[in-house]
Every structure is written in structure tokens, then in C-alpha cells.
């Protein structure tokens, strides 16, 4: 059984999705404050890690766990409403790239499973 990562088209597809997702997130006034002062190059890597993680790609992720990696953002007011925006951008990115609905639903449910960790509760 191949992973969603493979079904999407692997690294090339993830790179394409990163560009689109990244633009959407940074264009969203409701969440952009959390990304201010975050290094751009590192951010692209972060977005790639994000999409690879939620699609079951190769597990070479060596960053912080989700709780630790977002705790400072919770201190800045990160809550469910921001999380919902990010999921919305993820969903529309995948839809724009022509990803089938069932795969989108799978990716969203994996992303959804990180909600309590990201929001530190
Ligand atoms: C599906 C849920 C999410 C996943 C899988 C995810 C994934 C990640 C990953 C892999 C990192 C790198 C961690 C590290 O520093 O080593 C990260 C950092 C970060 N995430 Fe998320 N994220 C999620 C939700 C969110 C949300 C809802 C926001 C804000 C609206 C957000 C904003 C950020 C920011 C700003 C950083 C960089 C923090 C810094 O360098 O200071 N993330 N995320």
C-alpha cells in the first residue's frame, strides 16, 4: 500500500505544493503574524517537512516535535481558529494541484490529528 506522499507524486509534487501553500499562508493576514521574523529559507524547509509529514513521506524529519515546535506560538495566542486557517490553505492547495478528493481528505485528517499537540493541550 503506497503512502499518500507517493500517490501525490513524491518530492516533486511536494515541492510544487510548498510554493502554493507558502504563498497562501503568507498572504493570510489572520495568521501571518506568527511567521514574522521566521527565516525564509528555513521556512521553506519547514513547509516541506510539514507536507511530507502529513502525507507519510520519508521520515527524515529531525526538527522539534509538534508540541515543542509551536509552544511559543501558543504563547502568542495561537488557537483553533488559526489552525483552521492553515488546514483550509492546505486543502485548497491540494485541490488546486488536482489532488483527488479522497487523498485530500486523508491528508487533512492526518494534519487534524496533530491539532492538540500543535495547540499544546
Ligand atoms: C497540521 C498542523 C501543523 C504541522 C504538521 C506543522 C508543522 C511544523 C513543523 C514541522 C515545524 C518545524 C518545527 C521546528 O522548528 O523544528 C513547524 C514550525 C512552525 N509552525 Fe507549524 N505546523 C502545523 C500548524 C501550524 C499552525 C496552525 C501555525 C500558525 C498559524 C504554524 C506556524 C509555524 C511557525 C511560525 C513555525 C516556525 C516557528 C519558528 O521557527 O519560530 N504551524 N510547523
Amino acid at each position: 500500500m503506497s503512502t499518500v506522499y507517493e500517490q501525490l507524486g513524491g518530492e516533486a509534487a511536494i515541492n510544487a505544493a510548498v510554493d502554493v501553500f507558502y504563498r497562501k499562508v503568507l498572504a493570510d493576514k489572520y495568521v501571518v503574524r506568527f511567521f514574522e521574523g521566521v527565516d525564509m529559507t528555513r521556512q521553506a524547509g519547514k513547509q516541506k517537512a510539514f507536507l511530507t509529514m502529513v502525507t507519510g513521506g520519508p521520515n527524515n524529519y529531525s526538527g522539534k516535535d509538534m508540541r515543542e515546535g509551536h509552544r511559543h506560538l501558543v504563547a502568542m495566542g495561537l488557537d483553533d481558529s488559526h489552525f483552521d486557517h492553515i488546514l483550509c490553505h492546505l486543502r485548497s492547495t491540494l485541490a488546486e494541484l488536482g489532488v483527488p478528493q479522497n487523498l485530500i481528505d486523508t491528508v487533512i485528517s492526518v494534519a487534524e490529528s496533530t491539532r492538540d499537540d500543535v495547540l499544546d493541550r
Side-chain angles (χ1 to χ4, degrees):
M1 180 69 184
S2 65
T3 61
V4 174
Y5 179 82
E6 288 161 341
Q7 291 174 65
L8 288 175
E11 191 173 4
I14 294 293
N15 285 336
V18 164
D19 282 350
V20 178
F21 179 60
Y22 183 58
R23 268 198 300 274
K24 286 177 188 293
V25 169
L26 293 186
D28 181 352
K29 289 190 171 65
Y30 194 72
V31 298
V32 74
R33 71 181 177 94
F34 297 105
F35 296 85
E36 273 161 21
V38 173
D39 177 75
M40 301 290 271
T41 313
R42 192 181 163 277
Q43 191 60 24
K46 179 248 155 187
Q47 302 291 359
K48 195 174 168 183
F50 174 111
L51 289 172
T52 302
M53 272 181 78
V54 299
T55 56
N59 190 14
N60 52 15
Y61 178 66
S62 61
K64 296 172 181 170
D65 72 32
M66 291 296 94
R67 188 176 297 275
E68 200 190 328
H70 297 89
R71 192 170 276 144
H72 63 298
L73 304 176
V74 174
M76 287 168 64
L78 185 71
D79 66 20
D80 283 298
S81 67
H82 306 107
F83 194 96
D84 291 342
H85 273 242
I86 296 296
L87 283 196
C88 197
H89 296 315
L90 182 56
R91 185 181 280 283
S92 62
T93 296
L94 297 174
E96 278 172 33
L97 293 175
V99 174
Q101 193 58 51
N102 66 316
L103 271 187
I104 295 178
D105 290 344
T106 304
V107 172
I108 293 296
S109 63
V110 176
E112 186 61 67
S113 73
T114 70
R115 182 184 289 260
D116 283 353
D117 284 341
V118 168
L119 298 179
D120 194 25
R121 64 190 183 201

